Amino acid sequence: MEKARLTPFPREQATARTRLVSSFATEFLEIRAKEPSVHVLLIPGNPGIVAFYKDFVEELYENLRGKASITEHGRLFSLHEQIDHKVDYIEQEFQHSEQPLVLVGHSIGAYICLEIFKRLQKKVKLCLGLYPFLTLNKNSIKQSAIGYIARSSLLSKGVSAFVSFIGSLQASLTRSIVRRLLGPSWSVTAVEATCSHLLRYHTMRNVLFMAMTEFTKLTEEPDWNFISTKQDQIAFLFGVDDHWGPLAHLEEFSKRAPGVSLSVETEGHTHGYCCTEAGSFWVAEYVANLINTKL
């Protein structure tokens, strides 16, 4: 079990909201500062469920000392539709805003952030990628297996049906199964998000569809020309043993775009950092320090 961190005052709570963006009802998780000096937009990884990032968003707000408004924006589409939807949201919400906009993307969210940055270069001041998934790792057996399942309609339906079956059980039994499968390090927040949001047939089908479109697009190399042009406004945090963003990709960045801020997390957290309190707290502190340094 993780130990709860003691704080002298109650932590500001992130609020879940739903808004229409491009005619789609879209779920948000946000904390609004009274006098913000910057706005942080968090783009989650697949499965794009904002509830997984609640601990991280609240801790990031605390680390930025309440001087930043933080919004997490999630919706399940294809990869291309994800990017279009995020751009529409920014143009809708920040058309007249004078606050610097910082994009923070986790996993495939880091790739989405780069694509948003390309389209909205005047609005975005900083682009941060956490455990980034930017191109396929041909040496990863896990990625090959996920890709095989995602490309098969029959297997995708089977996996989704099994997942939804677990979600249809009595709540206490579902929670017990999830806790046993995922391990004791997962936070209460992450377990509840899994049970209430992920274990649904159509959600899992869309997760696998999104993965299929990711794997198709990410056979390409990153846009090195754009990254080199904006390298002083881009930063990435890699993990030591992360098949989605292996250290070989970090080495490639150091050669092709040496001005990009590159860091390696060595505290023992995983690609799914947001699923543990310790990971959420550590990464939130890292992001806050980087924002304070850069801006």
Side-chain angles (χ1 to χ4, degrees):
M1 293 289 291
E2 292 182 46
K3 293 182 179 179
R5 205 186 63 154
L6 298 177
T7 54
F9 303 103
R11 192 166 68 179
E12 191 76 24
Q13 296 293 300
T15 304
R17 305 181 190 278
T18 301
R19 297 181 198 154
L20 281 178
V21 178
S22 305
S23 301
F24 290 100
T26 305
E27 187 179 5
F28 295 84
L29 189 69
E30 64 181 1
I31 301 180
R32 292 279 182 176
K34 292 181 180 178
E35 297 180 1
S37 56
V38 64
H39 198 110
V40 179
L41 179 61
L42 172 63
I43 309 297
N46 195 352
I49 295 173
V50 300
F52 280 108
Y53 296 84
K54 187 175 187 294
D55 291 336
F56 170 73
V57 168
E58 292 172 356
E59 187 67 14
L60 179 58
Y61 181 84
E62 293 297 321
N63 276 280
L64 291 171
R65 302 182 183 278
K67 295 298 183 183
S69 290
I70 303 171
T71 303
E72 187 198 359
H73 181 279
R75 176 151 184 102
L76 291 170
F77 292 112
S78 70
L79 180 58
H80 180 73
E81 289 169 334
Q82 282 271 19
I83 297 165
D84 287 344
H85 190 250
K86 272 39 172 192
V87 169
D88 288 346
Y89 166 74
I90 292 171
E91 291 181 333
Q92 174 180 308
E93 292 293 319
F94 300 100
Q95 184 177 5
H96 304 295
S97 175
E98 296 181 358
Q99 299 164 7
L101 178 61
V102 175
L103 300 178
V104 179
H106 173 219
S107 191
I108 190 62
Y111 176 89
I112 294 172
C113 284
L114 283 175
E115 293 300 308
I116 295 170
F117 193 8
K118 273 196 238 179
R119 299 191 196 181
L120 302 175
Q121 296 182 35
K122 292 183 179 180
K123 289 186 180 293
V124 177
K125 300 301 180 185
L126 191 60
C127 181
L128 311 181
L130 308 174
Y131 305 88
F133 178 33
L134 303 173
T135 187
L136 285 182
N137 178 3
K138 297 177 182 178
N139 297 320
S140 171
I141 296 174
K142 288 184 180 179
Q143 285 187 29
S144 298
I146 294 170
Y148 182 76
I149 294 170
R151 288 189 298 270
S152 168
S153 176
L154 182 62
L155 289 176
S156 294
K157 289 177 181 178
V159 169
S160 301
F162 177 71
V163 163
S164 66
F165 168 72
I166 294 176
S168 69
L169 299 174
Q170 188 176 1
S172 60
L173 180 56
T174 296
R175 194 174 296 108
S176 176
I177 293 172
V178 169
R179 174 64 75 183
R180 182 176 294 274
L181 289 174
L182 300 179
S185 66
W186 273 48
S187 65
V188 172
T189 300
V191 171
E192 290 301 320
T194 301
C195 295
S196 61
H197 292 76
L198 186 58
L199 300 183
R200 299 174 181 176
Y201 181 82
H202 292 292
T203 299
M204 184 54 60
R205 284 299 305 274
N206 211 333
V207 166
L208 292 170
F209 174 71
M210 172 79 172
M212 181 184 69
T213 63
E214 291 172 16
F215 286 18
T216 300
K217 182 63 178 175
L218 269 59
T219 56
E220 305 170 6
E221 284 206 348
D223 187 342
W224 293 114
N225 288 333
F226 174 75
I227 292 171
S228 297
T229 301
K230 298 291 185 179
Q231 54 188 312
D232 60 329
Q233 293 174 264
I234 298 173
F236 292 113
L237 173 68
F238 286 83
V240 171
D241 188 21
D242 181 9
H243 71 91
W244 297 104
L247 294 182
H249 292 177
L250 178 146
E251 293 170 3
E252 187 73 8
F253 269 95
S254 66
K255 295 174 184 176
R256 304 284 289 270
V260 171
S261 178
L262 300 172
S263 302
V264 180
E265 176 267 300
T266 58
E267 300 296 313
H269 305 303
T270 66
H271 183 84
Y273 75 91
C274 57
C275 295
T276 69
E277 286 190 351
S280 294
F281 293 165
W282 190 92
V283 176
E285 183 176 5
Y286 163 82
V287 171
N289 289 338
L290 197 58
I291 291 173
N292 287 328
T293 299
K294 292 283 188 179
L295 298 182

